[in-house]
Amino acid sequence: MTRDLRVQAKADYIASLSHASPLAAIEELVWNALDADAREVRIDLVQNGLGGIDAVRISDDGTGIALDGVERTFGGLGGSWKREDGAVSAGKRHLHGRHGRGRFKAFALGCHVAWNTTFDAGKGLKSYAVSGDLEEPGVFHLDETATGPATGTEVLITNVRANANALADAGWVVSTLAAKFALYLKSYPNVRIYFGGLPVTPVIVQKACTAYTLRLETGAEAKFEVIEWRRRFPGAGRLVFCGADGFSLYDLPAGVRPGAPFCFTAYLVGARFDALAAENALIMDELNPETRAYLDAARKTLRDHFKVRAAEEDAQRLQQWIDEGSYPFARDDAGPARAAFDARVADMRANLEGFDALPASERKYLFNVLLKIEG
């Protein structure tokens, strides 16, 4: 069986959805898999001998796309069933998709996309493929295929765009995806995401996680989690509004500078944010009084948090220097000479890259030189 499915939307609008960043496209395809109750999602790059990317493959072990729902999935734009209040997956997970357009972001990765899916037809498994090309936006071709061994979906993107080569930086991709899916993965600990065989898990890439409860003057409350990351990456330093089950609804710059040692993402979590998102109140930022109140409380908590964390880091670093014998003062020395010395050391650390990674002998030598200058 072969037939065409046509999306009821203007071709230029469909094409505009393909202008997302490669990583945003990956995120949407992962969310589609998770909304299909996938317990394992794998993202793999098919690279050529020169290191370029020939194809991107996202595969999952979810429920697949039932054939009687293919028209709804690929034939319409904007009327996603996931918008229904309280909509959950067959596995009772809360759903991320809302607009019925995430699948089109796959074209941000490449000009040709094929979905190969297997689902439970009631009397056994059944498989088919749906494919589309950006040169013919809005038209998808459906073909029945040999039945796969288990339910699930594989999305294969070929004729890859040049900007997809940014995905070759596996460390950056894993860190960014870990930040995006951190709370969802905590809510559903049996879910696994892999990029190029590397596990996408906050536990591996996070340095610390601190939980707070924000209380507004109105009496409203929200969970607030601050995750500090082991490495810096683009997209960090943001405040993320999340629904009760941890998927992102809206994010914006945190507007707080924690200092050079810290790279973080902060999450405001609560059922109330689902309602605010539906009212388009979150995207109004400070223009909406309730959203502004949550932002103000979150930013105050962040500033207090990093004051405490900076003091803790300073104390740990000082203890390290004392233990290694490089620091020339006793811990309980509170004289002006030590204060002047510590100020100089702070300047040195700020301007000398890699200072904290120096061997103890080199650090001791620098401290002695600095002490003589101060003397």
Side-chain angles (χ1 to χ4, degrees), residues 29 70 79 88 100 107 150 159 170 179 226 300 321 334-335 375:
L29 293 168
V70 69
V88 294
F107 291 106
N159 196 1
V226 183
K300 180 183 183 304
W321 294 345

Side-chain angles (χ1 to χ4, degrees), residues 24-191:
I26 292 288
E27 291 168 22
E28 286 292 343
L29 293 168
V30 172
W31 279 124
N32 285 346
L34 297 177
D35 285 348
D37 284 329
R39 288 171 296 177
E40 182 174 295
V41 184
R42 290 187 174 272
I43 308 142
D44 294 294
L45 307 180
V46 181
Q47 294 181 278
N48 55 42
L50 298 176
I53 299 174
D54 285 340
V56 180
R57 180 186 294 110
I58 298 94
S59 55
D60 69 68
D61 62 354
T63 56
I65 306 169
L67 191 56
D68 60 7
V70 69
E71 292 278 1
R72 179 174 59 180
T73 302
F74 290 94
L77 181 63
S80 175
W81 64 277
K82 299 175 188 178
R83 291 184 66 93
E84 299 171 6
D85 290 341
V88 294
S89 70
K92 306 302 181 183
R93 297 187 203 169
H94 285 264
L95 298 166
H96 171 264
R98 290 292 185 271
H99 304 292
R101 65 191 185 192
R103 59 193 171 277
F104 297 106
K105 286 188 178 180
F107 291 106
L109 292 164
C111 296
H112 186 80
V113 184
W115 287 260
N116 297 284
T117 189
T118 300
F119 67 100
D120 187 346
K123 296 181 180 181
L125 301 181
K126 193 168 186 177
S127 301
Y128 65 92
V130 175
S131 61
D133 199 285
L134 198 56
E135 291 186 358
E136 196 178 16
V139 178
F140 293 89
H141 309 287
L142 186 151
D143 296 280
E144 288 193 26
T145 61
T147 300
T151 63
T153 301
E154 176 193 87
V155 185
L156 183 65
I157 300 106
T158 53
N159 196 1
V160 172
R161 294 168 177 250
N163 62 351
N165 285 319
L167 299 175
D169 185 349
W172 165 68
V173 175
V174 169
S175 296
T176 306
L177 290 178
K180 289 290 184 179
F181 292 97
L183 297 194
Y184 185 94
L185 292 172
K186 288 178 69 174
S187 297
Y188 301 102
N190 63 324
V191 172

Side-chain angles (χ1 to χ4, degrees), residues 313-365:
E313 292 270 315
D314 288 345
Q316 291 173 4
R317 186 167 47 252
L318 176 61
Q319 188 59 53
Q320 174 197 336
W321 294 345
I322 291 173
D323 291 343
E324 71 185 19
S326 63
Y327 192 69
F329 294 92
R331 173 178 284 279
D332 56 356
D333 190 335
R338 177 182 173 180
F341 177 83
D342 286 349
R344 284 295 187 95
V345 170
D347 289 339
M348 182 182 293
R349 290 188 63 250
N351 293 285
L352 183 59
E353 185 176 354
F355 177 86
D356 289 341
L358 289 174
S361 58
E362 293 185 23
R363 185 162 27 249
K364 183 175 182 178
Y365 173 77

Side-chain angles (χ1 to χ4, degrees), residues 262-313:
F262 300 107
C263 178
F264 75 97
T265 306
Y267 303 87
L268 279 157
V269 186
R272 175 58 182 158
F273 300 131
D274 289 298
L276 291 174
E279 297 166 7
N280 293 320
L282 295 181
I283 62 174
M284 294 179 68
D285 296 348
E286 281 84 355
L287 296 179
N288 179 274
E290 187 174 358
T291 302
R292 183 177 65 246
Y294 280 112
L295 288 173
D296 289 345
R299 286 167 176 157
K300 180 183 183 304
T301 300
L302 272 177
R303 286 190 286 268
D304 293 341
H305 170 83
F306 284 113
K307 285 180 182 177
V308 172
R309 289 289 294 116
E312 291 174 349
E313 292 270 315

